[in-house]
Amino acid sequence: MNKILEKEYFSEKVVRLSVEAPMIAKARKPGHFVIVIPDEKGERIPLTIADADTCRGTITLVVQAIGPSTAQICAKEPGDFLHDVVGPLGRATDIRNFGTVVCCGGGVGVAPLLPILRAMKAAGNRVVSILAARTRELIILEEQVRESSDEVIIMTDDGSYGNKGLVTDGLEEVIRREPVDMVCTIGPAIMMKFVSLLTRKYNVPTICSLNTIMVDGTGMCGACRVTVGGKMRFVCVDGPEFDAHKVDFDEMLMRLRSY
């Protein structure tokens, strides 16, 4: 049982939870995720660790209410408990000094992107962060992102905040004006697909963090399988991060639509 200590609403359906998990907080690295079970009969929900506080022994989870289980997690209040939080799982992000790194986050994808861009900045990189959402109300963690970025670009579909357009519009503007050594992208699968297509055109190395359906988180069920470089990989144990230029996004999108 893991106690919820804090709760903050980013929007009507997106919440930030601070959860007691001292061992996970101590062991986690950027890119890691956890499996959360809301109650003893609940399903297993994979959530990337957005932050951790080793002194308090807490991890931060950002949850979007999409189905019954995520809505159940979002409905919990400080003092309530999550039945199980298992992790850290997956492979950590490759953090080193690449040079200039552009970090592209779409919607709640900004949450798992935050520890990555922080680590990239700490490693000596110039970090340009691009935050994208449909509208201003869905831009999250902007203040925290600004603290660890050399530049922040905001893109909204409706133009209600920042620049009107898609994340790829902001990314292409950066690539055209200065050399970019690495792109990190996390968000909806369709967004990551088009980021990958753009960076392939400019021959910029790109990593993506995949958000496939996941059940056990240990590579046994096969629900999270994807094709990367023509070979089958499991997001839970081989990822969640992969070379975006090698991911078969069309197959992944087809599998996501089947659930």
Side-chain angles (χ1 to χ4, degrees):
M1 302 285 281
N2 298 79
K3 188 176 183 179
I4 297 172
L5 300 183
E6 298 173 0
K7 178 179 182 180
E8 175 187 3
Y9 278 93
F10 286 147
S11 65
E12 181 182 359
K13 294 188 176 183
V14 179
V15 301
R16 178 190 66 83
L17 300 176
S18 179
V19 180
E20 279 187 341
M23 295 181 67
I24 298 175
K26 185 177 180 179
R28 73 88 181 164
K29 295 180 179 178
H32 280 152
F33 68 95
V34 292
I35 294 285
V36 176
I37 303 176
D39 61 32
E40 60 182 6
K41 295 183 179 180
E43 65 178 324
R44 301 162 68 90
I45 305 296
L47 297 169
T48 309
I49 303 169
D51 201 357
D53 187 328
T54 54
C55 294
R56 297 181 65 202
T58 61
I59 60 173
T60 298
L61 304 175
V62 175
V63 191
Q64 183 175 21
I66 298 175
S69 295
T70 47
Q72 183 181 5
I73 295 172
C74 289
K76 290 182 179 290
E77 298 292 340
D80 293 339
F81 289 84
L82 297 169
H83 190 270
D84 282 302
V85 179
V86 180
L89 301 172
R91 295 178 179 270
T93 306
D94 177 17
I95 302 295
R96 48 195 164 100
N97 192 331
F98 295 97
T100 295
V101 178
V102 180
C103 297
C104 302
V108 293
V110 175
L113 190 66
L114 180 60
I116 295 173
L117 67 88
R118 281 174 171 168
M120 288 293 187
K121 181 62 179 174
N125 293 283
R126 166 172 161 78
V127 175
V128 179
S129 298
I130 304 175
L131 311 185
R134 294 193 306 274
T135 186
R136 178 172 187 154
E137 289 70 27
L138 299 180
I139 295 290
I140 66 171
L141 297 169
E142 179 185 351
E143 181 179 346
Q144 292 88 334
V145 169
R146 289 190 182 278
E147 290 173 355
S148 298
S149 303
D150 295 279
E151 180 183 359
V152 176
I153 298 171
I154 306 292
M155 305 296 300
T156 51
D157 292 0
D158 61 2
S160 56
Y161 187 44
N163 304 309
K164 184 176 183 179
L166 304 175
V167 66
T168 47
D169 297 322
L171 176 58
E172 188 162 28
E173 178 183 333
V174 175
I175 293 174
R176 284 180 171 177
R177 80 178 187 209
E178 65 181 281
V180 173
D181 301 289
M182 174 63 70
V183 169
C184 303
T185 180
I186 308 180
I190 191 67
M191 183 204 89
M192 292 189 289
K193 172 186 174 178
F194 282 100
V195 166
S196 175
L197 289 173
L198 176 66
T199 57
R200 185 196 298 269
K201 183 176 74 171
Y202 288 100
N203 197 31
V204 179
T206 303
I207 59 170
C208 60
S209 182
L210 302 186
N211 53 357
T212 53
I213 300 298
M214 201 176 292
V215 180
D216 67 282
T218 63
M220 295 180 65
C221 73
C224 67
R225 64 186 182 273
V226 292
T227 299
V228 181
K231 298 180 180 180
M232 185 175 69
R233 293 287 184 262
F234 297 113
V235 172
C236 62
V237 292
D238 297 319
E241 295 177 2
F242 297 95
D243 181 337
H245 297 163
K246 295 182 179 180
V247 174
D248 187 337
F249 281 103
D250 291 333
E251 178 191 66
M252 177 181 164
L253 286 162
M254 180 182 66
R255 284 181 54 77
L256 286 172
R257 286 194 295 267
S258 69
Y259 286 90

